[in-house]
Amino acid sequence: MAAQQGDVDELFDVKNAYYIGSYQQCINEAQKQPRLFVFSFKPSSPEKETERDMFLYRAYIAQRKYAVVLDDIKANSPPELQAVKMFAEYLSSESKRDAIVADLDKKMAKSVDLNTDAALRTLHQGESLECMAMTIQVLLSLDRVDLARKELKKMQEQDEDATLTQLATAWVNIAVGGEKLQDAYYIFQEMSDKYSSTLLLLNGQAACYMAQNKWEEAEGVLQEALDKDSSHPETLINLIVLTQHLGKAPEVTNRYLSQLKDAHRAHPFLKDYLAKENEFDRLVLQYAPTATA
Amino acid sequence: MCHYKIIDQLLQILGLSFHPKRPWVLASLHNGVIQLWDYRMCTLIDKFDEHDGPVRGIDFHKQQPLFVSGGDDYKIKVWNYKLRRCLFTLLGHLDYIRTTFFHHEYPWILSASDDQTIRIWNWQSRTCVCVLTGHNHYVMCAQFHPSEDLVVSASLDQTVRVWDISGLRKKNLSPGAVETEVRGISGVDLFGASDAVVKHVLEGHDRGVNWAAFHPSMPLIVSGADDRQVKIWRMNESKAWELDTCRGHYNNVSCAVFHPRQELILSNSEDKSIRVWDMSKRTGVQTFRRDHDRFWVLGAHPNLNLFAAGHDSGMIVFKLERERPAYAVHGNMLYYVKDRFLRQLDFNSSKDTAVMQLRSGSKFPVFSMSYNPAENAVLLCTRATNLENSTYDLYSIPKESDSQNPDAPEGKRSSGLTAVWVARNRFAVLDRMHSLLIKNLKNEIVKKVQVPSCEEIFYAGTGSLLLRDADGVTLFDVQQKRSLATVKIAKVKYVVWSADTSHVALLAKHAIMICNRKLESLCNIHENIRVKSGAWDESGVFIYTTSNHIKYALTSGDHGIIRTLDLPIYVTRVRGNSVYCLDRECRPRVLTIDPTEYRFKLALVNRKYDEVLHMVRNAKLVGQSIIAYLQKKGYPEVALHFVKDEKTRFSLALECGNIEVALEAAKALDERSCWERLGEAALLQGHHQVVEMCYQRTKNFDKLTFLYLITGNLAKLRKMMKIAEIRKDMSGHYQAALYLGDVSERVRILKNCGQKSLAYLTAATHGLDEEAEALKETFDPEKETVPEVDPNAQLLQPPPPINPLDTNWPLLTVSKGFFEGAIAAKGESSALTHNRYGFMDAQEALGDDGIGKEEGGGWEVEEDLDLPPELDMPAGAGGGAEDGFFVPPTKGMSPSQMWCNNSQLPVDHILAGSFETAMRLLHDQVGVVNFGPYKTLFMQTLSRGRTCYLGLPSLPCLRSHPQRNWKDCGAKQGLPAVGLRLSDLISRLQQCYQLTTAGRFEEAVERFRVILLSVPLLVVDNKQEIAEAQQLITICREYIVGLTMETERKKLPKDTLEQQKRLCEMAAYFTHCNLQPVHMVLVLRTALNLFFKLRNFKTAAGFARRLLELGPKPDVAQQTRKILAACEKTLTDAHQLNYDPHNPFDLCAASFVPLYRGRPVEKCPLSGACYCPTYKGQICRVTQVTEIGKDVIGLRVSPLQFR
C-alpha cells in the first residue's frame, strides 16, 4: 500500500481524506469511486476494492460509527475486513477488550492500550508508510524523538511528499520543538489549504501555536474547530489548556472539562486525570501538621 | 523583441513619427498619403493626402498640434492635425526631400534633399533661414542634435557631416537681434558661411550613407550605409573619429538609431531584417526578419520603450523588452523587482523598502516571480531570447535589511524556463526539455515528474500546478502525479488566483477565462485589446486591465469598463475602491475606481436585494442601460424599482406578474391596449376584479357578460342585459337572458325582433301558456303555421351559482422577494417550479445511493494488498520476521521529566505531573502540610501542561508540551509554559475587593485564599515581580485575617457588657488590618459606632479622626464630624478594653488578640500571619494549608531566587 513512485494511486483521495481526518469525505470518496472508474480506469482490481472498503470502514470507525462496520462486514468478507471489524469490536465495547486481545492470541498489538512494545514489534515488520507513521507515533508517545526522527528519515526516503510523511514530519517537528514548530504549523496549514481544514489539522495547528506560546492565535484556530464539532475531545482538551493560559476565569475552563467528562468518559486524558486525582488524594495523606487545634 | 503590432496596409512606408504623448504614430506612404494611426488599437485615425508622389520626411512637433512632411514633390508641408489640414507649404528645394524634422526648441524645420542641400526653415515666419551646402550627392538624412547647436547629415557622397549652427542661433534668437530675412539662395551665399559651418566630416563608409543620428546624451553618432555596415562615431570639440562597425546586414542599411535609454543600437535594412546591437560589445543581440518586405525607416518613441519600423507593405510597432514588472503579492505585501533590487511594499502603510539586491549577470530583466511566505524565499525567473538559455534564481530574503543598502544574498541559479513554489519546501521547475522537476530548498532535484506536453507552468495552490499546452490548461497534482482537470483556452499568459483560491482567472492575450478551483470554466470574456493584468477584489470580482482600461468581470460572466487608462498598468491588488498597481517604470501607484456598477451587479447575482435596494436608493445608477440590463438578465422586479416612466413600468410589471403595479400604471396611462393586456394577465391570475375593470374600461360587453356569468354574479349579469337592451344589442341582450335563464325576457326579445314562431315555441316549451296563447293568436293562420312544440323538450335553465365568486382566485402564497416586499406587490407562483426541481434532485440522489449500494457486496478477495499494518502480522515477538530480532526501544525521557530536572519551582513540577515532588517543594519552601485545598489548583495546573494533537485516526492522540522557553531551550533545557500570571492574580484581586465592598465576606475570604495559594505557583522573571508577589500575599493575608475576624465577631453574642467589650475590641483590631481606603472607611465607621455606643469616646474620637483623614464621602464626613464633636465634649473612655491604639501590635489570626511588640510570636511560613505561640504546629487559619511556625526555605517563585 505504499505509494509506489510514478504510480497513480487510484485510492489517493480516499486515503488522503482519511489521513487528514476528513472522514466523511473519505466515506463519500470511497462510495463514489466505482462510478468514477467507469470513465477513468478499468474497474479497479478486487484488491483495490478491498483496500478501498478498508478505508471506508476505518473512516466509519474514526467517526465512532462502529455499528455500521459491525453490521456491514459479514463472516464471508475478506480477512482484512475481518480485522477491521475486530478493531471496531474492540473499540465499541470496553468490556470485551480483554477478550478480543486474548482472542488474537496476543498477536495483534493494537497500540490503543499502551501495549507499545508489542505494537512496535508488530510494526517493525511492515514497510509501508502507514506502518512507519504508526511507528513514529508510538515512538513519540514513548518520548523517543531520536528514534522517531530516524524512522521519519526512512519515510522521507520512500516518499517525502506523501500526505503521511508530511503529517509524520509535523508530529516529529512538534516533538522536537523550537524553530521546527513553525514548520509543523505550515504543514498543517498547507494541508488544510489544499484539501480542507479538519479537526485533526486544526488541532495540529493549535498545538503548534500553543507550543510557541501564541495563545491568541491558537484561540482562533480552536474556535474554528469547536464550530465544526462542539464535543470533539482533543479540541476540548486543548481549550482547557488554552483558556487557562489566556487567563480566563476558572469557570470557563471547568465548563470544557465537564463537557469532556460528559461525552468522553473513557478518553485517556480523563483516565490520566482521574488517576492523578487519586494520586493526589493518596499523597495528601503523607502530610499532616505536627499539632492539631 | 517582443510585443509587436503589425499594421499592414499593403503600401510602402517611408517615414514614421511617434506622437510624444498620445498613442499615435504618423506614417508617410509611397503613394503620397500621410496616415495617422492609433497603434494601441491598431486603428487608422486620419489621412492627409496633399502630397504628390512619395512622402519621405515626417515629424510630429513636440508641443504643438503640428507635424511636418516632405515629399518627392519638393514640397515641405506643415500640418495641424487638430484642424486636420495643411497650414502652409515651404518651397525651395529643387529635388526630392528625404527627411524633415522640427527643432526641439526653436521654430525651425530641418530638411534634407536630393538637391544636395540641407535647409533650415523658420515655420513661424515661414521662410528658409539657412542653407547648408557641402555634400556633393543626395543628402539622405539630416537631424538636429537633441540639445546642442549641431546638425548631423548623411549623404550618398559616402560622408556623414556634423554642422555647427550656433551662429544661426545667435543671429536669429539672441535677444534684441533682428531676425534677418534670408531670401533665396543668394542670401545664403552672403551669410550662410557664418550661420552654419561644417564641423566634422566623417569618412569611413565606402558606399552612400542612408542615415545618421546623434546619441541622446553622449557625443556619439550612428550611421547606416549601403556598404551594409552600421558605424558608430565619437566626436569631441576638435575632431570626430570612427569608433566601431557593426557588420551583419547583407543588404543596404536603411536606418540606424540609438536606443533612447539602453546601450543598444537598432538598425534595419533592405535585407528584410531589423537588428539590435549591443553598443559596448558591438555584437548583434537580436534579429527580427520579415519574409518579403524590405525595411526603409525606423522611428523611436521619445519617451516610451517603443519603436516603429516601416517596410514595403506596412509597419510594425514593437518594443525591445517586456515592461511588465515581475511581482508577487502575499497578504498585505507586494514584492517586486525594480532595477536590481527586490522591493517590498506594505499596502497598508505604503512603506516601500528594498529588501535585497539581486545578483547581476543577466542582461535580461526578471520575467516572473514566485514568493514563498513560509520560508521567506523567492524564485526569480529570467527569460533569455533563446528560451533554452533561461534561468531562475532561488533567493532567501534576508530577515533584516537596510533599505538604503540592502544585502545581496547569494542565490542559487539553475537553468529552467519557469520555477514556481508548489509547497512550503518544494518548487517545480519546467526545464528546457519541458519536463517537470521538483526541487527542494537546497535546489536539489527531489523528483522528476512526467507531465503531459507543457509549455509553461503556473502556480495552483499547494501541491498543484497549472500546465499550459498549445490549446489548454491542465490542473495537475504534483503529489499524485495526475491531471485533475483540463480546460481549453489558447495561450494563457498569466494566472490570477483569488485569495481563497476558489477561483482562478486565466489571462490570454485577448481572452479571459474564469474558472473555479476544479478548473471548470465559469465564463469567457473576449477583449479586442491586450489583457495586461488582474486581481481579485475581496468580494470575488475580478478586476483586470487591458492596455487602456480597467475593467471588471463577475464570475457569472458580466463584465464592463470601470475607467480608462493613459498607460498600461499592472494590477497588484484591489481593496474597496482602490486599485493598487505597478506602472511600467515599476512605480507602485494607487488608482481610485468607482465600484458601484459591479457591486450592484454582484449583489444582483447573489440576490442580495437589500444591498441592491440600498444602491438603487443611494447611488446614481439609474439609466436606460441598467434597466435594459436588469430586464435582459431576468430581474424585471428589480428594474421595476428604477423606472418612473409609466409605460415601461407597465410592461415590467406585467413581465413580473405584478398586477397591482400594472393596474396603477394602466390607470395612469389609460390606453385601450394597456387595459387589454392587463385584462389578459389578470385573467391568467384569476384576478377577476381587475379583469372586470379592464373590460369595463375597454367597453368589452361580451367578455364582461361572460365574466359575470362564470363568476356567478347574477345581479351584474342582469344589469348587463339591461345595458344590452339600451344599446339595442339584440344578440347580447338575448345571450344575457339565456345566461340568466330568464324565459319571459327571451320571449319578449324574440317577439320584439319579429321571431314570432321562436317566441311562441320558447313560451310553449317553457310552459308559459298564457304568453303562448297570446302569441298563438297573433299568428295569421293563413300565412303562418304554428310550429309544433316538441313534446320531449326539456327545461333549459342555467344552474344557479352555488356561491357567487366575489373575491379573486386564491393564489399560492409565495414568500415575498425582497423587491416585491419593497414594492409591496404580490409575486407569481414560481415557487411551484422550484419545488418540482427540488423533488427531482432528491429522486436523483436516491438513485445514486441505490447504485452505490449495489456495488457494495459480493466480491471475493484472495490476496491482501493493503492490510493495515497493525493487523498485518504473523506472530508476536519477532516471530517470522526476516530481519532478525527486534528489540523494542525503552521509554525515552519526556519533556515533563526534564521540567522536573530543570526546575525547583513547584508549579513546574505540577505541570510535569509530578505531584509528589511538587508537594515536597511546597512543603519545604512554604511549609504546606495540608494539601487538600490545593487539589483544584493542582488539577487545573496539571490540565494545562499538555496540549494534544491527532496522529493517525483511531489511535490515541499525541501530546505536546508547551514550553515557556521554547525558542532556545534545545532538547534538554525545557521549562513548561506556566499559564498563571502575576497580572492575572492581581486583576482577580479586584473581584475580591468588590465582594468585600458588597459585604460578602465569606466568599471574599474564599477568593482571597485561592489567590494566596496560587502565589507559590507563579513563575516571575525579576526582583520587582518577586516583591509584588510577596506583597500580594500580604494583601490577601490582611484581608483574610480581617474578614474572618469580622465574620467571627458577627456571630458572637452581645448580651453582656463583657461580650460587648469583646465585640468592640475585635472591631478595633479590624481597623489595624491593612485594607483599601474604601474598606477602611467602612471598618472605621463600624468601630466608631460601637465605641461611641459603649461611651468610649476617647478611642471613638481616634477612630473618627482616622476616618476623616481618609476623606470619606461628604455625608459620611459630616456625620463623623458630628460624632467627633460629641466625643470631644467628654474625651474619656467608659470601659477598659484590651486595645491600645498607640502601642503597635500584631493580631493573632487564631484567637484575635493583640500580640504587642516584643512578645513571642509564631508566624505562618506562607502568609506571614502571626499567632500566639500556643498555636505552633497547627494549621494556619489564613492559608489553611501551612503549618504555623514551621521552619522553611521561603517562597520561591523565580529562578533568580536559586542563584
Side-chain angles (χ1 to χ4, degrees), chain B residues 923-946:
Chain B
H923 178 260
D924 295 348
Q925 288 169 6
V926 291
V928 180
V929 290
N930 172 28
F931 279 95
Y934 259 117
K935 184 167 177 180
T936 336
L937 282 172
F938 266 52
M939 293 315 289
Q940 267 178 5
T941 310
L942 174 74
S943 70
R944 65 171 180 257
R946 288 180 296 169

Short mmCIF file of all heavy atoms in Angstrom, two decimals, chain B residues 923-946:
data_model
loop_
_atom_site.label_atom_id
_atom_site.label_comp_id
_atom_site.label_asym_id
_atom_site.label_seq_id
_atom_site.Cartn_x
_atom_site.Cartn_y
_atom_site.Cartn_z
N HIS B 923 6.12 21.93 50.54
CA HIS B 923 6.29 21.65 51.96
C HIS B 923 7.58 22.31 52.47
O HIS B 923 7.58 22.98 53.49
CB HIS B 923 6.33 20.13 52.17
CG HIS B 923 6.55 19.73 53.58
ND1 HIS B 923 7.78 19.34 54.06
CD2 HIS B 923 5.70 19.67 54.64
CE1 HIS B 923 7.68 19.06 55.35
NE2 HIS B 923 6.41 19.25 55.72
N ASP B 924 8.64 22.14 51.69
CA ASP B 924 9.92 22.66 52.14
C ASP B 924 10.00 24.18 52.01
O ASP B 924 10.64 24.84 52.81
CB ASP B 924 11.06 22.03 51.33
CG ASP B 924 11.15 20.52 51.59
OD1 ASP B 924 10.49 20.06 52.55
OD2 ASP B 924 11.85 19.83 50.82
N GLN B 925 9.37 24.71 50.99
CA GLN B 925 9.53 26.14 50.74
C GLN B 925 8.59 26.99 51.58
O GLN B 925 8.99 28.01 52.13
CB GLN B 925 9.32 26.44 49.25
CG GLN B 925 10.48 25.94 48.41
CD GLN B 925 10.19 25.99 46.92
OE1 GLN B 925 9.16 26.49 46.50
NE2 GLN B 925 11.10 25.45 46.13
N VAL B 926 7.33 26.61 51.60
CA VAL B 926 6.38 27.47 52.32
C VAL B 926 5.63 26.71 53.41
O VAL B 926 4.67 27.23 53.98
CB VAL B 926 5.38 28.15 51.36
CG1 VAL B 926 6.10 29.16 50.51
CG2 VAL B 926 4.67 27.12 50.53
N GLY B 927 6.06 25.49 53.69
CA GLY B 927 5.52 24.78 54.83
C GLY B 927 4.12 24.28 54.68
O GLY B 927 3.34 24.25 55.63
N VAL B 928 3.76 23.84 53.48
CA VAL B 928 2.43 23.31 53.30
C VAL B 928 2.36 21.92 53.90
O VAL B 928 3.23 21.07 53.65
CB VAL B 928 2.05 23.25 51.80
CG1 VAL B 928 0.65 22.69 51.63
CG2 VAL B 928 2.16 24.62 51.17
N VAL B 929 1.39 21.66 54.73
CA VAL B 929 1.25 20.32 55.30
C VAL B 929 -0.14 19.74 55.03
O VAL B 929 -0.34 18.54 55.18
CB VAL B 929 1.51 20.32 56.82
CG1 VAL B 929 2.98 20.57 57.10
CG2 VAL B 929 0.64 21.36 57.50
N ASN B 930 -1.05 20.60 54.65
CA ASN B 930 -2.39 20.11 54.37
C ASN B 930 -2.72 20.46 52.91
O ASN B 930 -2.99 21.60 52.57
CB ASN B 930 -3.40 20.78 55.31
CG ASN B 930 -4.82 20.44 54.90
OD1 ASN B 930 -5.06 19.37 54.33
ND2 ASN B 930 -5.73 21.34 55.18
N PHE B 931 -2.61 19.45 52.03
CA PHE B 931 -2.72 19.76 50.61
C PHE B 931 -4.14 19.74 50.08
O PHE B 931 -4.36 20.04 48.93
CB PHE B 931 -1.83 18.79 49.80
CG PHE B 931 -0.39 19.21 49.81
CD1 PHE B 931 0.49 18.66 50.73
CD2 PHE B 931 0.07 20.16 48.92
CE1 PHE B 931 1.81 19.05 50.75
CE2 PHE B 931 1.40 20.54 48.94
CZ PHE B 931 2.28 19.99 49.86
N GLY B 932 -5.08 19.34 50.91
CA GLY B 932 -6.48 19.26 50.47
C GLY B 932 -6.92 20.46 49.66
O GLY B 932 -7.37 20.32 48.52
N PRO B 933 -6.83 21.68 50.22
CA PRO B 933 -7.30 22.85 49.47
C PRO B 933 -6.53 23.07 48.15
O PRO B 933 -6.98 23.83 47.30
CB PRO B 933 -7.05 24.01 50.44
CG PRO B 933 -6.97 23.37 51.78
CD PRO B 933 -6.39 22.03 51.57
N TYR B 934 -5.39 22.46 48.02
CA TYR B 934 -4.60 22.67 46.81
C TYR B 934 -5.06 21.80 45.65
O TYR B 934 -4.59 21.92 44.54
CB TYR B 934 -3.12 22.38 47.08
CG TYR B 934 -2.30 23.63 47.29
CD1 TYR B 934 -1.66 23.90 48.49
CD2 TYR B 934 -2.16 24.56 46.24
CE1 TYR B 934 -0.91 25.06 48.67
CE2 TYR B 934 -1.42 25.71 46.42
CZ TYR B 934 -0.79 25.96 47.63
OH TYR B 934 -0.08 27.10 47.78
N LYS B 935 -5.99 20.89 45.92
CA LYS B 935 -6.32 19.90 44.90
C LYS B 935 -6.79 20.55 43.59
O LYS B 935 -6.27 20.22 42.51
CB LYS B 935 -7.40 18.96 45.43
CG LYS B 935 -7.71 17.85 44.44
CD LYS B 935 -8.53 16.75 45.06
CE LYS B 935 -8.88 15.70 44.04
NZ LYS B 935 -9.67 14.60 44.60
N THR B 936 -7.73 21.46 43.70
CA THR B 936 -8.25 22.09 42.47
C THR B 936 -7.11 22.77 41.71
O THR B 936 -7.01 22.66 40.49
CB THR B 936 -9.29 23.16 42.83
OG1 THR B 936 -9.83 22.85 44.09
CG2 THR B 936 -10.34 23.24 41.77
N LEU B 937 -6.29 23.50 42.47
CA LEU B 937 -5.20 24.21 41.81
C LEU B 937 -4.26 23.24 41.13
O LEU B 937 -3.81 23.46 40.00
CB LEU B 937 -4.44 25.05 42.83
CG LEU B 937 -5.11 26.35 43.23
CD1 LEU B 937 -4.35 27.00 44.38
CD2 LEU B 937 -5.20 27.30 42.05
N PHE B 938 -3.96 22.16 41.80
CA PHE B 938 -3.06 21.16 41.22
C PHE B 938 -3.66 20.60 39.94
O PHE B 938 -2.98 20.53 38.91
CB PHE B 938 -2.82 20.01 42.22
CG PHE B 938 -1.58 20.20 43.07
CD1 PHE B 938 -1.38 21.38 43.75
CD2 PHE B 938 -0.64 19.20 43.17
CE1 PHE B 938 -0.25 21.55 44.54
CE2 PHE B 938 0.49 19.36 43.95
CZ PHE B 938 0.69 20.53 44.64
N MET B 939 -4.92 20.22 40.01
CA MET B 939 -5.53 19.57 38.85
C MET B 939 -5.66 20.55 37.68
O MET B 939 -5.40 20.21 36.54
CB MET B 939 -6.90 18.99 39.21
CG MET B 939 -6.86 17.83 40.19
SD MET B 939 -5.60 16.59 39.85
CE MET B 939 -6.24 15.80 38.40
N GLN B 940 -6.02 21.77 38.01
CA GLN B 940 -6.10 22.78 36.94
C GLN B 940 -4.74 22.98 36.29
O GLN B 940 -4.61 22.99 35.07
CB GLN B 940 -6.55 24.12 37.53
CG GLN B 940 -8.04 24.33 37.46
CD GLN B 940 -8.43 25.65 38.09
OE1 GLN B 940 -7.59 26.44 38.48
NE2 GLN B 940 -9.71 25.87 38.18
N THR B 941 -3.76 23.15 37.14
CA THR B 941 -2.42 23.39 36.61
C THR B 941 -1.98 22.21 35.75
O THR B 941 -1.46 22.39 34.65
CB THR B 941 -1.43 23.58 37.77
OG1 THR B 941 -1.99 24.53 38.66
CG2 THR B 941 -0.10 24.04 37.27
N LEU B 942 -2.21 21.02 36.26
CA LEU B 942 -1.82 19.84 35.50
C LEU B 942 -2.50 19.83 34.13
O LEU B 942 -1.86 19.53 33.12
CB LEU B 942 -2.22 18.58 36.28
CG LEU B 942 -2.00 17.27 35.52
CD1 LEU B 942 -0.51 16.95 35.47
CD2 LEU B 942 -2.76 16.13 36.15
N SER B 943 -3.77 20.20 34.12
CA SER B 943 -4.51 20.06 32.87
C SER B 943 -4.06 21.06 31.82
O SER B 943 -4.40 20.93 30.66
CB SER B 943 -6.01 20.23 33.12
OG SER B 943 -6.28 21.57 33.45
N ARG B 944 -3.28 22.07 32.19
CA ARG B 944 -2.84 22.99 31.14
C ARG B 944 -1.40 22.71 30.73
O ARG B 944 -0.82 23.46 29.98
CB ARG B 944 -3.00 24.44 31.59
CG ARG B 944 -2.15 24.85 32.75
CD ARG B 944 -2.23 26.35 32.98
NE ARG B 944 -1.39 26.71 34.10
CZ ARG B 944 -1.83 26.99 35.32
NH1 ARG B 944 -3.11 26.99 35.56
NH2 ARG B 944 -0.99 27.30 36.28
N GLY B 945 -0.86 21.64 31.23
CA GLY B 945 0.54 21.34 30.93
C GLY B 945 0.75 20.71 29.57
O GLY B 945 1.83 20.77 29.01
N ARG B 946 -0.29 20.07 29.05
CA ARG B 946 -0.08 19.34 27.81
C ARG B 946 -1.23 19.58 26.85
O ARG B 946 -2.39 19.45 27.22
CB ARG B 946 0.06 17.85 28.11
CG ARG B 946 1.39 17.54 28.77
CD ARG B 946 1.52 16.09 29.07
NE ARG B 946 0.52 15.64 30.02
CZ ARG B 946 0.31 14.34 30.28
NH1 ARG B 946 0.98 13.42 29.65
NH2 ARG B 946 -0.61 14.00 31.17
#
